[in-house]
Amino acid sequence: MLQCIYWLRVYISWYSGADRTSWCDIADLLRFLRPAGQIDTSIEDEGVPNLVDEAAWFEWAGVGVAREELPRLFAAMTALKTEHGLKAVRFFGKVLGTKADYYVVEGTYVPGAEPTLPTSTHGATPPEAPGMGLNTHIYFAASDPSSKFVRLPDVLPETIVAACKIKKYFTGDLAAPVKAYPTFPGKEADYLRAQIARIAAATVLVPAGKFAFDEEAETEPKPLIKLEDFEAKPAAEMAEADSWCHLRAGVLKIGRATNLPIPEDAEEEDAPELEEEVPPLAPISSDAPVADPLPESGTETPAWSIKLYCPQARDGAVVIAKSHRWPGAYSAVVKGKHANLYVGYGAEASATPFTPTPPPPIMGEAEDVGEETDVSLAAENEVLKAIDEERMRAEAAVEEPQEE
């Protein structure tokens, strides 16, 4: 029943004609015929996006998943939202692997309902709490939309730092070891979660001016709120880099989105040197370009390229931003509505061919030990004589008290 309802709406969204009203009537009728207690399949649910519309946007850029998979993805996302009590879910994308691929779903916690986890003692840098920083969202992965989605572990700073030093293809097995040097502290599930955090921080975009910081909030960092008076820019203006901004904070070298709090009793001289944080809503025009592999050419590849599709349609024009730093990451805007999608191998593009970190230098030969000169017979006799005399004096001192 769930797939039938969704497919009817899929056909309505893709095809238009004289019978459109009758199709809507049939779809609404089938919704009321679903068994009692079944998951709500309303596509208009605020917490579950319209995958059909988003798929149509990204088709202009030639990226996406098969249309046959959309109903199963929608059903899985709706089930995850209900099962885990999430505020919203979205399809993060598809991470390609050598044996199987990962379908990744991103979930947003209900404010105040984030799980409270014990303080981690793993690693030198404590991780960010659920609902904060790189752990703001929860992620689920499965090798097929019809399979059971597995919750990925929260990301740790040490996995982020290690992931920046290696490049590995995913196998499609969350329990597989990550064989690399430097050693990665975890399984493939941890590596997948670390790469998702890096990709999301760098490629999730929104139209500039659509969100703002909640200045009335007392918490730090201040949360983002959607502006009610936001007016969508014309599609031609969205083709400019200044019209886009990052929704997430950047990743620091310590593997967090925020610096560690400085203890109150710490002196200024002993205070660690903090890295400058990259707050949300930073314009993509300030992103560093991807350097050209041939430095002598003097050219650089910009971090983003933006293209306007179907400009003749006033309300249907699609603007797509494509990331060159993370190949496979796309952002779309249609009349103020936005969506983000990633379909790739989970690897960051580099200016030069990837060179693995070399192992530590091999230990050299041990230094030759100098030979000591042999002890002469006279010196050896002197040592033995001194030992005998000391033993005789000790025996004499024991015998004298007994004679008295």
Side-chain angles (χ1 to χ4, degrees):
M1 176 65 70
L2 179 61
Q3 292 188 4
C4 292
I5 298 169
Y6 194 90
W7 269 115
L8 285 171
R9 290 191 176 263
V10 169
Y11 291 136
I12 294 170
S13 299
W14 279 330
Y15 304 104
S16 60
D19 296 334
R20 181 180 178 89
T21 303
S22 60
W23 277 105
C24 294
D25 294 339
I26 295 174
D28 291 336
L29 176 62
L30 289 176
R31 287 178 57 193
F32 287 108
L33 295 177
R34 68 180 184 270
Q38 188 174 346
I39 297 173
D40 184 12
T41 58
S42 173
I43 299 181
E44 292 78 18
D45 186 354
E46 293 183 356
V48 184
N50 191 324
L51 296 181
V52 177
D53 285 350
E54 294 184 359
W57 301 344
F58 290 111
E59 280 183 357
W60 286 98
V63 65
V65 298
R67 292 184 175 184
E68 292 78 7
E69 296 177 341
L70 296 179
R72 290 178 287 166
L73 274 173
F74 176 79
M77 292 166 59
T78 306
L80 289 172
K81 178 177 178 292
T82 304
E83 178 183 354
H84 296 273
L86 301 174
K87 178 183 178 182
V89 293
R90 78 174 182 95
F91 180 49
F92 174 84
K94 185 177 181 180
V95 180
L96 308 178
T98 56
K99 299 179 181 179
D101 303 329
Y102 291 116
Y103 293 82
V104 181
V105 174
E106 177 187 282
T108 303
Y109 292 107
V110 175
E114 299 87 354
T116 303
L117 300 179
T119 303
S120 174
T121 58
H122 185 68
T125 306
E128 292 165 307
M132 299 292 293
L134 300 181
N135 287 321
T136 300
H137 301 276
I138 181 175
Y139 292 89
F140 306 87
S143 58
D144 187 88
S146 301
S147 305
K148 180 177 178 57
F149 277 76
V150 179
R151 175 182 175 178
L152 298 178
D154 288 340
V155 69
L156 300 175
E158 53 266 26
T159 59
I160 291 286
V161 174
C164 294
K165 299 178 182 178
I166 64 175
K167 275 193 176 182
K168 289 284 293 184
Y169 282 118
F170 291 96
T171 65
D173 180 9
L174 293 174
V178 181
K179 299 179 181 179
Y181 184 85
T183 305
F184 184 81
K187 301 293 185 180
E188 186 164 294
D190 303 284
Y191 182 50
L192 176 62
R193 180 64 181 86
Q195 293 299 84
I196 289 174
R198 297 177 63 201
I199 294 170
T203 64
V204 175
L205 307 183
V206 294
K210 189 173 184 177
F211 293 86
F213 292 101
D214 187 3
E215 300 297 340
E216 298 180 358
E218 298 179 356
T219 58
E220 290 290 342
K222 296 186 181 298
L224 297 178
I225 56 174
K226 185 176 180 180
L227 299 179
E228 298 180 357
D229 57 349
F230 169 73
E231 294 184 2
K233 295 182 179 180
E237 294 185 19
M238 289 302 303
E240 302 293 333
D242 291 333
S243 299
W244 300 75
C245 63
H246 293 278
L247 183 62
R248 314 278 173 85
V251 180
L252 304 179
K253 294 180 180 179
I254 60 174
R256 292 167 51 106
T258 56
N259 285 304
L260 293 172
I262 301 177
E264 296 180 358
D265 55 349
E267 299 181 1
E268 294 184 2
E269 298 178 356
D270 300 335
E273 206 173 306
L274 300 180
E275 184 180 356
E276 184 179 357
E277 296 182 0
V278 183
L281 305 183
I284 66 172
S285 57
S286 62
D287 289 2
V290 181
D292 191 84
L294 299 175
E296 61 273 9
S297 65
T299 60
E300 291 181 331
T301 303
W304 295 90
S305 61
I306 306 173
K307 189 173 182 180
L308 172 62
Y309 296 91
C310 195
Q312 63 273 17
R314 290 186 304 173
D315 297 337
V318 181
V319 184
I320 301 288
K322 175 183 176 181
S323 174
H324 295 287
R325 187 172 302 280
W326 289 97
Y330 295 83
S331 298
V333 167
V334 179
K335 200 179 178 182
K337 297 181 180 179
H338 70 276
N340 294 272
L341 180 67
Y342 178 82
V343 180
Y345 289 95
E348 182 182 7
S350 55
T352 57
F354 175 71
T355 303
T357 303
I362 301 175
M363 296 181 64
E365 294 285 343
E367 296 182 0
D368 294 336
V369 180
E371 296 183 1
E372 296 184 0
T373 56
D374 295 337
V375 180
S376 63
L377 181 60
E380 186 177 353
N381 289 337
E382 287 292 334
V383 173
L384 295 176
K385 181 180 178 181
I387 294 175
D388 290 341
E389 291 178 352
E390 182 66 26
R391 179 175 56 78
M392 294 173 62
R393 283 194 295 270
E395 292 177 354
V398 174
E399 292 177 356
E400 287 180 0
Q402 292 179 356
E403 295 178 356
E404 294 176 358

